[in-house]
Coordinates of all heavy atoms in Angstrom, one line a residue:
D1087 N -6.0 5.2 -1.2 CA -7.2 4.5 -1.8 C -8.1 4.0 -0.8 O -9.3 4.3 -0.8 CB -6.7 3.3 -2.6 CG -6.2 3.7 -4.0 OD1 -6.2 4.9 -4.3 OD2 -5.9 2.8 -4.8
L1088 N -7.7 3.2 0.2 CA -8.4 2.5 1.2 C -7.8 2.6 2.6 O -6.6 1.9 2.6 CB -8.8 1.1 0.8 CG -9.8 0.3 1.6 CD1 -11.2 1.1 1.4 CD2 -10.0 -1.1 1.0
T1089 N -8.4 3.1 3.6 CA -7.8 3.1 4.9 C -8.8 2.3 5.8 O -10.0 2.5 5.8 CB -7.9 4.5 5.5 OG1 -7.0 5.4 4.8 CG2 -7.2 4.5 6.9
Q1090 N -8.2 1.2 6.5 CA -8.9 0.3 7.4 C -8.6 0.8 8.8 O -7.5 0.9 9.1 CB -8.4 -1.0 7.1 CG -9.1 -2.1 7.9 CD -8.6 -3.5 7.7 OE1 -7.6 -3.6 7.0 NE2 -9.3 -4.5 8.3
Y1091 N -9.7 0.8 9.6 CA -9.6 1.3 11.0 C -9.8 0.0 11.9 O -10.8 -0.6 11.8 CB -10.7 2.5 11.4 CG -10.3 3.7 10.4 CD1 -10.9 3.8 9.2 CD2 -9.6 4.7 11.0 CE1 -10.8 5.0 8.5 CE2 -9.3 5.8 10.2 CZ -9.9 6.0 9.0 OH -9.8 7.1 8.2
H1092 N -8.9 -0.2 12.7 CA -8.9 -1.3 13.6 C -9.5 -0.8 15.0 O -9.5 0.4 15.3 CB -7.5 -2.0 13.8 CG -6.9 -2.3 12.5 ND1 -7.4 -3.4 11.6 CD2 -5.9 -1.9 11.8 CE1 -6.8 -3.5 10.6 NE2 -5.8 -2.6 10.7
S1093 N -10.0 -1.9 15.8 CA -10.6 -1.6 17.1 C -9.8 -0.9 18.0 O -10.2 -0.3 18.9 CB -11.3 -2.8 17.7 OG -10.2 -3.8 17.8
D1094 N -8.3 -1.3 17.9 CA -7.4 -0.7 18.8 C -6.9 0.7 18.4 O -6.0 1.3 19.2 CB -6.2 -1.7 19.1 CG -5.4 -1.8 17.7 OD1 -5.8 -1.2 16.6 OD2 -4.4 -2.5 17.8
G1095 N -7.5 1.3 17.6 CA -7.2 2.7 17.0 C -6.1 2.7 16.0 O -5.8 3.8 15.4
S1096 N -5.5 1.6 15.7 CA -4.5 1.5 14.6 C -5.3 1.5 13.2 O -6.5 1.3 13.1 CB -3.6 0.3 14.9 OG -4.3 -1.0 14.7
I1097 N -4.4 1.6 12.1 CA -4.9 1.6 10.8 C -4.1 0.7 9.9 O -2.9 0.5 10.3 CB -5.1 3.0 10.2 CG1 -3.7 3.7 10.1 CG2 -6.0 3.8 11.1 CD1 -3.7 5.0 9.4
S1098 N -4.6 0.4 8.7 CA -3.8 -0.2 7.7 C -4.3 0.4 6.3 O -5.4 1.0 6.2 CB -4.2 -1.7 7.6 OG -3.8 -2.4 8.7
L1099 N -3.3 0.6 5.4 CA -3.4 1.3 4.3 C -3.4 0.3 3.0 O -2.4 -0.4 2.9 CB -2.4 2.4 4.1 CG -2.1 3.3 5.2 CD1 -1.1 4.4 5.0 CD2 -3.5 4.0 5.7
W1100 N -4.3 0.4 2.2 CA -4.4 -0.5 1.0 C -4.6 0.3 -0.3 O -5.3 1.3 -0.2 CB -5.5 -1.5 1.2 CG -5.5 -2.2 2.5 CD1 -6.5 -2.0 3.5 CD2 -4.6 -3.1 3.1 NE1 -6.1 -2.8 4.5 CE2 -5.0 -3.6 4.3 CE3 -3.5 -3.7 2.4 CZ2 -4.3 -4.5 5.0 CZ3 -2.8 -4.7 3.2 CH2 -3.2 -5.0 4.5
D1101 N -4.1 -0.3 -1.4 CA -4.2 0.3 -2.7 C -4.8 -0.7 -3.7 O -4.3 -1.8 -3.8 CB -2.7 0.6 -3.1 CG -2.6 1.7 -4.1 OD1 -3.6 2.3 -4.5 OD2 -1.5 2.1 -4.6
W1102 N -5.8 -0.3 -4.4 CA -6.5 -1.0 -5.4 C -5.6 -1.2 -6.6 O -5.0 -0.2 -7.1 CB -7.8 -0.5 -5.8 CG -8.9 -0.2 -4.7 CD1 -9.2 1.0 -4.3 CD2 -9.6 -1.2 -4.0 NE1 -10.2 0.8 -3.4 CE2 -10.5 -0.5 -3.1 CE3 -9.7 -2.5 -4.0 CZ2 -11.4 -1.1 -2.3 CZ3 -10.6 -3.2 -3.1 CH2 -11.5 -2.4 -2.3
K1103 N -5.4 -2.3 -7.2 CA -4.6 -2.5 -8.3 C -5.3 -3.4 -9.3 O -5.6 -4.6 -9.0 CB -3.3 -3.0 -8.0 CG -2.4 -2.1 -7.3 CD -2.0 -0.9 -8.1 CE -1.2 0.2 -7.5 NZ -1.1 1.5 -8.2
T1104 N -5.4 -3.1 -10.5 CA -5.9 -3.9 -11.6 C -4.9 -4.4 -12.5 O -5.1 -4.9 -13.5 CB -7.0 -3.1 -12.5 OG1 -6.3 -1.9 -13.0 CG2 -8.2 -2.7 -11.7
S1105 N -3.6 -4.1 -12.1 CA -2.4 -4.4 -13.0 C -2.0 -5.8 -12.6 O -2.5 -6.5 -11.7 CB -1.3 -3.5 -12.6 OG -0.9 -3.5 -11.2
S1106 N -1.0 -6.3 -13.4 CA -0.4 -7.6 -13.1 C 0.4 -7.5 -11.8 O 0.8 -6.5 -11.3 CB 0.5 -8.0 -14.2 OG -0.2 -8.2 -15.5
N1107 N 0.5 -8.7 -11.2 CA 1.3 -8.8 -9.9 C 2.7 -8.3 -10.1 O 3.4 -8.6 -11.2 CB 1.4 -10.3 -9.4 CG 1.6 -10.5 -8.0 OD1 1.7 -9.3 -7.3 ND2 1.7 -11.6 -7.5
Y1108 N 3.3 -7.7 -9.1 CA 4.6 -7.0 -9.2 C 5.7 -8.1 -9.1 O 5.7 -9.1 -8.3 CB 4.7 -6.0 -8.2 CG 3.8 -4.8 -8.3 CD1 3.2 -4.4 -7.0 CD2 3.5 -4.3 -9.5 CE1 2.4 -3.2 -7.1 CE2 2.6 -3.2 -9.5 CZ 2.1 -2.8 -8.3 OH 1.2 -1.7 -8.5
K1109 N 6.7 -8.0 -9.9 CA 7.9 -8.8 -9.8 C 8.7 -8.3 -8.5 O 8.6 -7.1 -8.2 CB 8.8 -8.6 -11.0 CG 8.3 -9.1 -12.3 CD 9.2 -8.7 -13.5 CE 8.5 -9.2 -14.7 NZ 9.5 -8.9 -15.9
K1110 N 9.4 -9.2 -7.9 CA 10.2 -8.9 -6.8 C 11.1 -7.7 -7.0 O 11.3 -6.8 -6.1 CB 11.0 -10.2 -6.3 CG 11.6 -9.9 -4.9 CD 12.3 -11.2 -4.5 CE 13.0 -11.0 -3.1 NZ 13.6 -12.3 -2.6
S1111 N 11.7 -7.7 -8.2 CA 12.7 -6.7 -8.5 C 12.0 -5.2 -8.6 O 12.7 -4.2 -8.6 CB 13.3 -6.9 -9.8 OG 12.4 -7.1 -10.8
D1112 N 10.7 -5.2 -8.8 CA 10.0 -3.9 -8.9 C 9.3 -3.4 -7.7 O 8.6 -2.4 -7.6 CB 8.9 -4.0 -10.0 CG 9.4 -4.2 -11.5 OD1 10.6 -3.9 -11.6 OD2 8.7 -5.0 -12.2
L1113 N 9.4 -4.2 -6.6 CA 8.8 -3.9 -5.3 C 9.1 -2.7 -4.7 O 8.3 -1.8 -4.2 CB 9.0 -5.1 -4.3 CG 8.1 -6.3 -4.5 CD1 8.4 -7.3 -3.4 CD2 6.5 -5.9 -4.5
L1114 N 10.5 -2.3 -4.7 CA 11.0 -1.1 -4.2 C 10.3 0.2 -4.8 O 9.8 1.0 -4.1 CB 12.5 -1.0 -4.3 CG 13.1 0.2 -3.6 CD1 12.8 0.2 -2.0 CD2 14.6 0.3 -3.9
S1115 N 10.4 0.3 -6.1 CA 9.7 1.4 -6.8 C 8.3 1.5 -6.6 O 7.7 2.7 -6.4 CB 10.1 1.3 -8.2 OG 9.5 0.2 -8.9
H1116 N 7.5 0.4 -6.5 CA 6.2 0.4 -6.3 C 5.8 0.6 -4.8 O 4.7 1.3 -4.5 CB 5.5 -0.8 -6.8 CG 5.4 -1.0 -8.4 ND1 4.7 -0.1 -9.1 CD2 6.1 -1.9 -9.1 CE1 4.8 -0.6 -10.4 NE2 5.6 -1.6 -10.5
G1117 N 6.5 0.2 -4.0 CA 6.3 0.2 -2.6 C 6.5 1.5 -1.8 O 6.1 1.9 -0.8
R1118 N 7.3 2.5 -2.5 CA 7.7 3.8 -1.8 C 6.4 4.5 -1.5 O 6.4 5.2 -0.4 CB 8.5 4.6 -2.8 CG 9.9 4.0 -3.0 CD 10.8 5.1 -3.7 NE 12.1 4.6 -4.0 CZ 12.4 4.3 -5.3 NH1 11.7 4.5 -6.3 NH2 13.7 3.8 -5.5
Q1119 N 5.4 4.6 -2.4 CA 4.2 5.3 -2.2 C 3.5 4.9 -0.9 O 3.1 5.7 -0.1 CB 3.3 5.3 -3.4 CG 2.0 6.2 -3.3 CD 1.3 6.1 -4.5 OE1 1.2 5.1 -5.3 NE2 0.5 7.2 -4.8
L1120 N 3.4 3.6 -0.8 CA 2.7 3.1 0.5 C 3.6 3.5 1.8 O 3.0 3.8 2.8 CB 2.7 1.5 0.4 CG 1.7 1.0 -0.6 CD1 2.0 -0.7 -0.7 CD2 0.3 1.3 -0.3
V1121 N 4.9 3.4 1.6 CA 5.7 3.7 2.8 C 5.6 5.2 3.2 O 5.4 5.6 4.2 CB 7.2 3.4 2.5 CG1 8.1 3.9 3.6 CG2 7.4 1.8 2.2
L1122 N 5.6 6.1 2.1 CA 5.5 7.5 2.4 C 4.1 7.8 2.9 O 4.1 8.7 3.9 CB 5.8 8.3 1.0 CG 7.2 8.2 0.5 CD1 7.3 8.7 -1.0 CD2 8.1 9.0 1.5
Y1123 N 3.1 7.2 2.4 CA 1.8 7.5 3.0 C 1.6 7.1 4.4 O 0.9 7.7 5.2 CB 0.6 7.0 2.0 CG 0.5 7.7 0.7 CD1 1.4 8.7 0.3 CD2 -0.4 7.2 -0.1 CE1 1.2 9.3 -0.8 CE2 -0.6 7.8 -1.5 CZ 0.3 8.9 -1.8 OH 0.1 9.5 -3.0
A1124 N 2.2 5.9 4.7 CA 2.2 5.4 6.0 C 2.9 6.3 7.0 O 2.4 6.6 8.0 CB 2.8 4.0 6.1
M1125 N 4.1 6.9 6.5 CA 4.8 7.7 7.4 C 4.0 9.0 7.6 O 4.0 9.6 8.7 CB 6.1 8.0 6.7 CG 7.1 6.9 6.7 SD 8.6 7.3 5.7 CE 9.4 8.4 6.8
A1126 N 3.2 9.5 6.6 CA 2.4 10.6 6.9 C 1.3 10.5 7.8 O 1.1 11.3 8.7 CB 1.7 11.0 5.5

C-alpha cells in the first residue's frame, strides 16, 4: 500500500485499513502479509 523511504536508505511498509482495530489474538493472521512483504 505505502512505502516510506528514509534518509539513510532504509524503508518502512504501511497498510491502509478502514476496518476495526485488530484483537491481539488476530495479529498473527493479519500480520503475515506485512512480514512476507518486508522479507521480499
Side-chain angles (χ1 to χ4, degrees):
D1087 279 3
L1088 188 65
T1089 304
Q1090 180 181 10
Y1091 298 89
H1092 304 292
S1093 58
D1094 62 358
S1096 63
I1097 61 174
S1098 293
L1099 310 180
W1100 309 110
D1101 202 2
W1102 305 109
K1103 289 297 177 186
T1104 57
S1105 61
S1106 296
N1107 199 7
Y1108 298 136
K1109 298 177 182 178
K1110 188 176 181 179
S1111 59
D1112 295 331
L1113 283 179
L1114 183 63
S1115 60
H1116 288 295
R1118 286 191 190 108
Q1119 185 175 25
L1120 291 172
V1121 174
L1122 292 166
Y1123 289 2
M1125 293 174 69

